[in-house]
Amino acid sequence: MPARSPSHPIPHRLRLPLRACSLLLVLVTVGFWAAKGAHRGWSQHRVPVRKIDEVTGIVFTAYEDRFVPGVEVLAAGSALAAAIFGATFLLRASPTRPNPTS
Amino acid sequence: MKIPVFIACLSFGLAAIAGAAPRAYDFNDPKGVNGIQFSLDSVLEPIVGTASGVTGTVHFDPASPAATTGRIVVAARSLVVPNATQAGHIQGKDWLDTATHADITFELVKLTAVSTKENETTATATGKFTLKGVTKEITVPVRLTHLADAMGKRVPGTQGDLLVVRGEFSIKRADYGIQPGQMEDTVNPLIKLTLAIVGSAPKA
């Protein structure tokens, strides 16, 4: 087992998987946001739907209980991914083992 | 002979007066169509919501629309916006404080600049608007549409008339103690209100 520095508890060999995770997180976040309507406002916990009363001609708003992610979901996912990606630069390379043959 | 003719004329006249008397239109709509929509510009997107808890009565006579009186009440707690966090803020103490001030009301004082064409009347409504416990007199351009015998088309098995009231106006939130002078660079100080509501007067 390579020795771990107390200030850097994550081993260097996790650098690549963590970067892959951060990329995956960005893709999942953007994909989820786009699949749910790519809403460019704040998240909606109920969605307004315009309806018309045929007799009176009144256009009214009814609400459907469903979640539509907004830009803050996009921002939070991207920020988390950026944080994970940035953290990988703090990982120090594993100390090289002494060559037993030398 | 003259007395029976006089009595007949009097009866007819009284019946005509009774028939022309304003009728009470109940705005507690059984189909849940009634709502007051509000909108105020904000960062990223406008905050748009609806208050659907509309009740009240308007006394309206199609032969004399200028004599219309009435009071519309909106339950402040019925106000919803798509975002749950914003909904909590709007209902909260800093904004509408719906726990303390349950009702938003408009009491019609008079109609002026009344113009009627067929079943549609346009006018300027002057009334007392109460929001968050503050009452101010405001004027609102309104359009009243009288739909005679249309009640049964919406609610089968009933008979009566419908009265549709439409209007649009703006208020300054600071006038009603809603975050006066606060966050005016991020949330517009003006609130735009749009109403489209229907009342029904069943036939006896």
Side-chain angles (χ1 to χ4, degrees), chain B residues 113-132:
Chain B
V114 179
S115 169
T116 302
K117 195 178 276 185
E118 296 177 356
N119 67 337
E120 200 158 288
T121 298
T122 56
T124 301
T126 302
K128 291 173 183 168
F129 182 69
T130 303
L131 174 64
K132 204 182 179 185

Side-chain angles (χ1 to χ4, degrees), chain B residues 77-97:
Chain B
R77 278 206 171 270
S78 70
L79 202 149
V80 292
V81 291
N83 184 280
T85 307
Q86 283 180 347
H89 290 157
I90 288 169
Q91 299 270 351
K93 203 171 178 61
D94 291 339
W95 286 81
L96 293 183
D97 192 10

Side-chain angles (χ1 to χ4, degrees), chain A residues 1-15:
Chain A
M1 283 291 286
R4 290 180 185 180
S5 163
S7 60
H8 299 96
I10 304 170
H12 174 250
R13 66 172 180 274
L14 287 180
R15 182 181 280 181

Side-chain angles (χ1 to χ4, degrees), chain A residues 72-96:
Chain A
E72 79 273 29
V73 171
L74 200 61
S78 302
L80 184 61
I84 293 170
F85 190 82
T88 62
F89 289 99
L90 301 176
L91 303 177
R92 198 179 280 171
S94 302
T96 50

Side-chain angles (χ1 to χ4, degrees), chain A residues 44-97:
Chain A
Q44 296 181 329
H45 302 86
R46 54 175 81 90
V47 179
V49 180
R50 294 214 149 204
K51 293 187 175 181
I52 187 161
D53 181 74
E54 288 181 0
V55 177
T56 61
I58 289 177
V59 179
F60 63 102
T61 305
Y63 288 89
E64 289 177 0
D65 281 332
R66 61 187 164 90
F67 180 72
V68 175
V71 291
E72 79 273 29
V73 171
L74 200 61
S78 302
L80 184 61
I84 293 170
F85 190 82
T88 62
F89 289 99
L90 301 176
L91 303 177
R92 198 179 280 171
S94 302
T96 50
R97 290 184 182 185

Side-chain angles (χ1 to χ4, degrees), chain B residues 105-107 109 126-131 133-140 169 171-177:
Chain B
T105 62
F106 180 78
E107 189 158 356
V109 174
T126 302
K128 291 173 183 168
F129 182 69
T130 303
L131 174 64
V134 178
T135 301
K136 288 193 175 288
E137 189 166 287
I138 61 168
T139 56
V140 181
F169 60 104
I171 56 166
K172 288 180 185 170
R173 58 182 170 88
D175 287 350
Y176 298 89

